[in-house]
Amino acid sequence: MAAPVSIREDQLTRLVALSPGDGRLGGLVRRVCAQALSLPPLPSCVGVGEPQSEAEAVVAEFAEQFSVDVSAITGEQRSRLRKQLGDSTFSVVVQMYIADFIPRARAGLEALGIGSEYLGWVSGSIAWDHAGDPSDLVFNDFLPAVGRMRALDPVTSELVRLRGAAQHNCRLCKSLREGTALDAGGSETLYGDIEDFEKSALLTGRAKAALRYTDALIWTPAHLVADVVAEVRSRFSEAEAVELTFDIMRNASNKVAVSLGADAPRVQQGIERYLLDADGQTVFS
């Protein structure tokens, strides 16, 4: 049976519906992340204002930095978060990823005028899920589903991934190279132009449009420039633009590892090749 080529229409809704426990920490994280981004917050089953405890204050501070610039999170902030949350630290940080990047993806899709089928949760009713595991739904369901998408060419996908890796300063991501993209024409010479891509003579106009859109969703999602949006519309099909948006979100899951200082590369020097297989899974040689 052929692998799916798109994520399910309810995929984002399932993530939005997650509300572990009494939902208070999730509600706090959603408010803080949206405020940091100047974007509409994800709905939450519990309305939460200012932090009401030391633990909530620590979570709010961490969530704000997670959204603004994850690479600037300090070791002290990590220690305080772990001290307050203990075994639930990872789950709460995954909730930060959901609260941080779904609003960005929504902003991108709405600006492009595409993907409304994935945004039913914006105006529809939500069946809150208090028992679901955010880590499971993100890492075992959503991310592989995006990885199975194949409308976008592999070199563009890899350029976008490496740009996100640099912007979030994910050491692991920067050390990896996807094999299908290498076989399709990707190279270290080409990838070396990503940092200053506007001046590149190697990168195509289509590639530069994808990289501008990537930067916009990472740094200015509330203020997407009309020219950036128009260029994506003109250079990519609707299916490609949807995949491009979700690729950027998928890649941004590296913020979880970066925020927790768990992004060490698997190799001490050089790069490591891997394959994003037909099931959307990362396979190392």
Side-chain angles (χ1 to χ4, degrees):
M1 179 184 236
V5 295
S6 182
I7 69 170
R8 299 188 311 273
E9 292 184 7
D10 70 342
Q11 207 108 35
L12 291 186
T13 299
R14 294 186 68 202
L15 295 176
V16 172
L18 287 166
S19 185
D22 63 8
R24 184 170 173 84
L25 275 184
L28 174 66
V29 163
R30 293 179 180 202
R31 181 188 66 77
V32 169
C33 288
Q35 186 172 307
L37 298 171
S38 298
L39 287 173
L42 295 184
S44 58
C45 69
V46 178
V48 181
E50 294 302 312
Q52 298 298 309
S53 66
E54 181 180 358
E56 289 187 358
V58 169
V59 168
E61 178 191 15
F62 198 94
E64 180 178 29
Q65 190 61 62
F66 185 99
S67 285
V68 172
D69 183 0
V70 71
S71 68
I73 288 177
T74 66
E76 182 180 355
Q77 287 175 310
R78 293 184 190 106
S79 295
R80 288 202 300 266
L81 189 74
R82 290 190 177 101
K83 179 180 178 182
Q84 294 296 329
L85 298 181
D87 292 342
S88 65
T89 299
F90 187 76
S91 176
V92 173
V93 173
V94 173
Q95 291 181 65
M96 292 179 194
Y97 163 70
I98 293 169
D100 171 65
F101 231 89
I102 292 182
R104 297 175 194 257
R106 173 190 173 185
L109 293 174
E110 289 183 338
L112 291 168
I114 59 176
S116 60
E117 63 270 29
Y118 303 110
L119 302 177
W121 53 271
V122 173
S123 57
S125 60
I126 297 174
W128 296 107
D129 178 2
H130 297 289
D133 178 2
S135 305
D136 180 53
L137 280 181
V138 168
F139 291 99
N140 297 325
D141 188 35
F142 175 73
L143 300 185
V146 177
R148 289 192 292 268
M149 299 174 82
R150 290 294 186 271
L152 197 61
D153 69 275
V155 175
T156 300
S157 289
E158 182 71 345
L159 291 169
V160 166
R161 184 189 70 80
L162 289 170
R163 183 65 175 182
Q167 299 306 290
H168 298 143
N169 196 24
C170 177
R171 297 170 295 163
L172 173 61
C173 309
K174 291 191 292 185
S175 74
L176 299 176
R177 299 292 184 271
E178 205 282 317
T180 304
L182 290 172
D183 294 341
S187 67
E188 290 308 298
T189 302
L190 183 69
Y191 298 156
D193 275 13
I194 295 173
E195 181 176 1
D196 198 9
F197 68 85
E198 294 288 5
K199 297 179 181 178
S200 173
L202 296 177
L203 293 167
T204 64
R206 174 181 161 95
K208 290 179 181 180
L211 293 171
R212 291 186 194 107
Y213 182 57
T214 301
D215 281 1
L217 286 192
I218 290 174
W219 297 115
T220 57
H223 307 285
L224 295 175
V225 177
D227 288 349
V228 171
V229 172
E231 196 169 17
V232 171
R233 282 200 195 109
S234 68
R235 293 184 181 275
F236 296 88
S237 70
E238 182 171 328
E240 288 174 327
V242 166
E243 183 173 338
L244 176 60
T245 302
F246 284 127
D247 268 1
I248 296 167
M249 181 174 172
R250 177 183 181 274
N251 299 333
S253 63
N254 62 21
K255 296 180 76 170
V256 175
V258 172
S259 71
L260 295 173
D263 61 319
R266 287 164 44 99
V267 292
Q268 294 302 310
Q269 294 183 330
I271 59 172
E272 182 178 16
R273 182 171 174 142
Y274 76 97
L275 174 69
L276 185 63
D277 71 10
D279 292 323
Q281 299 290 345
T282 298
V283 179
F284 292 100
S285 300

